[in-house]
Amino acid sequence: MALKATVFKVNLQIADMDRGYYQDHQLTLAQHPSETDGRMMVRLLAFIINASATLAFSKGLCVDDEPELWDKALSGEIDLWVEFGQADEKWLRKASGRAKAVQLFAYGGRSVPIWWKQNQQALERYQNLKVWNIAEESVSAMEALVSRTMALQVSISEGQIWLSDNNNSVLVEPEILKDIE
């Protein structure tokens, strides 16, 4: 019998001073049986950083042709394609050809600099690609916020992201390895 996804309900209150974006979002996150809490929280962080009325989680891990998080225009064009982990250059090339902007949220601690050194030269040619590095300490700290029902307040200012619930506050300072040109 196949394992089923675990469903998480998330109430986000976002105050993004860097973008002038202030909004509440009610999300339902499906955690694939093979997905860790840390990876799920990196997905949530990517949503927070790019939050908009049209940003949505897709079927993701279950569909080969779609990103896990995207922003699609009504015309069907993909405005933003978001990937996670230490993605293959060929996959990022495909995403860069299909979307106006692509973001990769790399995480994995000490393996990220090794992956980046191996892939940086190839990835530099994609002008619509932005690569973030989320530190292992940040991922671990965000795991403390995980519960089946989350109510999170988020404040973003000068690149610092504070996530808080009733019991914990977590500071995340993502590192930009490559920005969109």
Side-chain angles (χ1 to χ4, degrees):
M1 183 166 81
L3 296 173
K4 293 186 179 189
T6 304
V7 175
F8 292 83
K9 297 289 186 179
V10 184
N11 178 6
L12 282 178
Q13 295 177 332
I14 300 173
D16 185 342
M17 277 70 76
D18 292 348
R19 293 191 304 145
Y21 183 85
Y22 307 92
Q23 208 58 244
D24 292 351
H25 292 271
Q26 307 292 323
L27 304 175
T28 300
L29 281 176
Q31 183 183 34
H32 190 273
S34 67
E35 184 178 39
T36 65
D37 287 348
R39 186 178 191 287
M40 181 184 69
M41 292 305 286
V42 171
R43 287 195 301 131
L44 184 60
L45 180 68
F47 182 93
I48 290 165
I49 289 171
N50 295 291
S52 75
T54 53
L55 187 66
F57 291 100
S58 71
K59 293 181 174 78
L61 291 174
C62 303
V63 179
D64 288 339
D65 258 14
E66 294 180 359
E68 293 179 62
L69 181 64
W70 61 0
D71 201 337
K72 286 179 71 174
L74 292 174
S75 63
E77 289 181 298
I78 302 170
D79 292 326
L80 176 64
W81 180 300
V82 183
E83 288 294 324
F84 301 93
Q86 297 168 26
D88 182 61
E89 184 269 338
K90 290 175 186 167
W91 184 247
L92 293 171
R93 179 180 346 126
K94 178 182 177 180
S96 293
R98 290 187 59 198
K100 291 181 184 176
V102 177
Q103 291 187 19
L104 172 65
F105 285 79
Y107 64 96
R110 293 183 296 215
S111 64
V112 172
I114 296 165
W115 168 85
W116 181 241
K117 187 174 182 180
Q118 293 170 343
N119 291 280
Q120 180 178 7
Q121 188 174 356
L123 297 180
E124 288 294 342
R125 67 177 165 229
Y126 304 119
Q127 296 181 355
N128 63 339
L129 173 65
K130 184 172 191 171
V131 180
W132 303 81
N133 179 25
I134 310 303
E136 188 171 20
E137 302 78 32
S138 296
V139 175
S140 296
M142 287 189 298
E143 287 176 346
L145 300 172
V146 174
S147 67
R148 292 291 293 272
T149 304
M150 293 180 260
L152 301 175
Q153 297 77 42
V154 180
S155 176
I156 302 174
S157 180
E158 297 180 11
Q160 293 185 326
I161 304 165
W162 283 97
L163 293 96
S164 304
D165 63 11
N166 289 336
N167 303 311
N168 302 295
S169 283
V170 174
L171 172 63
V172 179
E173 295 180 277
E175 173 189 11
I176 298 173
L177 298 177
K178 180 194 176 306
D179 211 343
I180 293 176
E181 297 172 13

